[in-house]
Amino acid sequence: MATAAVANPANGALSGDDLIFAQLAPEQPTSVPDRVAALRRVKALDTLSHDDLVWLAEHGTERKAYDGTLIFHGGAPVHHMTILLQGEVHVRRASGPVAFFIGRSGAVTGKLPFSRMKSYGGDGYAAGEVWTLDFEESSFPEMLQAVPGLTQIVVSTLLDRTREVTRMEQQAEKLNALGKLAANLSHELNNPASAARSAANNLWTELRNYGYQKFRLGALCIGGDTKTAYNEWIASMQHLLQPDGRPQRSDAVDVAAREDVLLRWMEAHQIEDAWRIAPVIAETIIETSHLDALANVLQGEALTVALASFASGMNAERMTDAVIDSTRRIFELITAIRGYSYMDQAPIQEIDLREALDNTLAMLNSRLGSVEVDRCYGEEVPQILAYGGELNQVWTALIENALDAMALCERAYAPKLTLRTSLSGSTVLVEVCDNGPGIDPEIRSRIFEPFFTTKGIGQALGLGLDTANRVVTKHKGQLSVLHSKPGDTCIQVRLPIEQTGAY
């Protein structure tokens, strides 16, 4: 990496980033006219007079650095306002929504007058040859007095910086929320999709086996009373297995015990491939007494083929059920997604709060795990006119915060999430409660502030509850902490039923 051609540091009197700045002082200072000419190219300073630019040129501290030079450390205190006359400064951040930032030629940056900036947001490196004028913060009063027009420039720059940072943070929060939603949906859709694919693949093989067994059964030319008795046995088994239209199955321990019993029965009756047939029948409520009834009708090879055909058909039905169940689950998720996003609908809709909360839970189902969800929906709660998609952001933020809080709490009992809706006069109330550790009273008044978070660096931006608060305020509602103590925290959203003039 190239290094800057700079003067020696100041006799060990400086350290850290002050030492870096001292090392960036050029050996041959640029003349004042050349500095003034460079300042004229800075668009932000267009309104300043020639005398103002001369003052800045004379009182600014010149720095120069070549490509790759470290200009400042992330986290180090910042004491200078910097006017970037030439080159670019690339800032790399270890965390946060913006990992890479570029300060380009013509920027007025660093610690500005009236700014509350405390430290650098990342490590800054020179990209190409960099030339700056720096102003120590102790000189700010004198600078603003000598160059009054700089005050408006500084204030405008601070407002632009705030808007840009807020925009980037909000965009990052949206992307973060979208990423969480995508991850939840991916997890939820993966299970039924995988089950449907596996069942469909196995069904293809099983149908071939079922056709083969039927061919064998037909080749035996069973007829007369034997055929009638066999058909009656098949009908009785179908009635036994599907009283409500679906197969009945047992738990794993019971299945294993049934399989052992059935294997012994089939071995005693010399059934071929008993190891293939027994597991299928073991998952039903068919007992050996039912098989005895079939053995009284068919014997020998006919019994083997009849059982194999019956088990293969039952297995194919089971796989078909798996495909149906999986695709039904996928369809339910897609329906929930459409309801959650209010796809293909006008911005303002009549919102059923119960349905909206359930759709949000469907989006977050992968995070619920062992969480007990208690839905206490008031029957008297009417529909309200609102921005449905935006309100779902509120429910998502509140539920996710509740889940995060409960995940931090070590307990001997299961986490519990309570969603409650009720009617209060001309407003509806939605409450999201959890049995987590509660909110520290010292920070309770700050949880709705933008960028405030108790989570670790890189885990959150502190905009979730701020966004929720702004959405509720937009609906002329109120978001507040109803109560909070260890084991019982409840956040309440109060929304007016009639939104006349709210938008």
Side-chain angles (χ1 to χ4, degrees):
M1 180 182 292
T3 57
V6 296
N8 293 327
N11 301 322
L14 301 176
S15 61
D17 287 271
D18 289 326
L19 178 57
I20 292 177
F21 273 87
Q23 291 174 327
L24 297 178
E27 295 180 355
Q28 297 295 329
T30 306
S31 66
V32 171
D34 288 341
R35 294 187 188 184
V36 171
L39 287 170
R40 287 190 182 279
R41 294 192 293 269
V42 178
K43 186 175 181 180
L45 306 180
D46 282 348
T47 58
L48 298 183
S49 67
H50 176 76
D51 291 340
D52 291 338
L53 297 179
V54 170
W55 191 96
L56 292 175
E58 291 177 343
H59 291 80
T61 302
E62 187 179 12
R63 318 284 186 190
K64 284 191 175 181
Y66 293 117
D67 186 48
T69 304
L70 176 65
I71 298 177
F72 50 79
H73 285 290
V78 56
H79 304 295
H80 307 83
M81 182 183 83
T82 298
I83 302 176
L84 190 55
L85 301 176
Q86 177 183 317
E88 294 182 351
V89 177
H90 290 182
V91 182
R92 299 180 178 90
R93 303 175 65 181
S95 62
V98 183
F100 184 71
F101 175 79
I102 299 177
R104 293 181 170 85
S105 177
V108 180
T109 184
K111 183 169 186 177
L112 305 181
F114 316 118
S115 170
R116 292 182 291 179
M117 183 178 180
K118 301 295 183 182
S119 59
Y120 292 105
D123 294 339
Y125 293 87
E129 186 173 349
V130 172
W131 178 25
T132 69
L133 277 181
D134 295 324
F135 299 85
E136 174 69 31
E137 62 178 331
S138 60
S139 68
F140 288 173
E142 179 187 1
M143 178 178 66
L144 295 179
Q145 184 176 3
V147 188
L150 196 61
T151 300
Q152 183 176 351
I153 293 172
V154 167
V155 172
S156 297
T157 303
L158 283 174
L159 291 175
D160 290 343
R161 177 191 289 180
T162 301
R163 280 194 293 266
E164 181 64 16
V165 170
T166 301
R167 184 193 65 80
M168 290 189 297
E169 297 281 1
Q170 289 177 344
Q171 183 67 17
E173 177 69 15
K174 291 178 181 178
L175 291 174
N176 187 37
L178 180 61
K180 290 181 179 178
L181 180 61
N184 288 332
L185 288 177
S186 175
H187 181 86
E188 287 301 304
L189 289 171
N190 181 65
N191 289 339
S194 297
R197 180 180 180 181
S198 176
N201 288 337
N202 293 332
L203 180 60
W204 184 83
T205 302
E206 192 60 50
L207 286 175
R208 294 187 65 181
N209 180 55
Y210 179 70
Y212 172 68
Q213 298 299 339
K214 279 293 185 182
F215 172 78
R216 292 180 63 193
L217 187 62
L220 293 176
C221 299
I222 300 174
D225 294 340
T226 301
K227 179 180 178 180
T228 302
Y230 173 65
N231 288 335
E232 290 176 351
W233 183 86
I234 292 292
S236 66
M237 291 302 99
Q238 290 175 342
H239 178 75
L240 175 69
L241 296 178
Q242 302 184 11
D244 58 352
R246 298 188 58 80
Q248 299 182 18
R249 299 168 187 172
S250 307
D251 59 68
V253 175
D254 193 19
V255 167
R258 288 176 183 273
E259 186 174 338
D260 291 339
V261 172
L262 291 169
L263 276 173
R264 288 194 295 270
W265 186 94
M266 292 180 188
E267 289 171 355
H269 289 75
Q270 299 180 342
I271 303 297
E272 298 176 7
D273 295 332
W275 60 272
R276 187 192 301 273
I277 301 172
V280 178
I281 298 179
E283 294 184 8
T284 70
I285 57 174
I286 294 177
E287 302 290 351
T288 54
S289 58
H290 299 109
L291 299 183
D292 287 335
L294 179 62
N296 291 332
V297 176
L298 301 171
Q299 294 82 33
E301 181 183 3
L303 179 59
T304 295
V305 175
L307 273 180
S309 176
F310 175 73
S312 181
M314 193 162 48
N315 208 25
E317 291 177 2
R318 190 171 302 159
M319 293 173 185
T320 303
D321 285 337
V323 173
I324 293 173
D325 289 342
S326 299
T327 51
R328 176 183 54 80
R329 175 59 181 157
I330 292 173
F331 179 77
E332 289 174 351
L333 284 170
I334 293 174
T335 302
I337 293 169
R338 290 177 63 89
Y340 180 84
S341 62
Y342 292 90
M343 189 183 304
D344 303 326
Q345 297 186 38
I348 303 176
Q349 306 91 16
E350 288 189 347
I351 306 301
D352 185 331
L353 293 174
R354 292 172 294 184
E355 182 179 344
L357 290 169
D358 286 341
N359 287 337
T360 304
L361 287 175
M363 297 299 100
L364 300 174
N365 189 60
S366 63
R367 291 201 56 194
L368 295 179
S370 60
V371 177
E372 177 187 350
V373 180
D374 186 12
R375 297 172 173 86
C376 302
Y377 299 152
E379 294 295 332
E380 76 284 3
V381 176
Q383 293 184 341
I384 64 172
L385 282 174
Y387 289 101
E390 294 186 20
L391 276 185
N392 280 341
Q393 294 181 46
V394 176
W395 317 138
T396 301
L398 297 182
I399 293 174
E400 282 193 325
N401 274 303
L403 295 176
D404 290 340
M406 290 187 289
L408 297 175
C409 186
E410 296 183 2
R411 57 169 68 82
Y413 50 90
K416 181 178 180 179
L417 175 69
T418 302
L419 303 180
R420 187 180 298 113
T421 64
S422 59
L423 181 64
S424 177
S426 60
T427 62
V428 294
L429 305 180
V430 179
E431 296 172 1
V432 179
C433 309
D434 65 79
N435 60 352
I439 304 172
D440 189 335
E442 295 182 0
I443 66 170
R444 188 175 302 176
S445 62
R446 300 189 59 198
I447 63 173
F448 299 119
E449 292 181 7
F451 308 114
F452 177 78
T453 179
T454 58
K455 298 175 183 177
I457 297 176
Q459 297 182 10
L461 301 176
L463 290 173
L465 290 180
D466 169 61
T467 300
N469 193 32
R470 285 189 288 108
V471 170
V472 172
T473 302
K474 177 179 179 179
H475 287 79
K476 291 188 175 180
Q478 183 181 11
L479 177 62
S480 61
V481 180
L482 189 62
H483 57 260
S484 181
K485 62 182 180 180
D488 186 14
T489 296
C490 188
I491 295 183
Q492 183 185 81
V493 178
R494 181 183 292 270
L495 295 169
I497 297 174
E498 296 293 337
Q499 292 289 328
T500 305
Y503 308 107

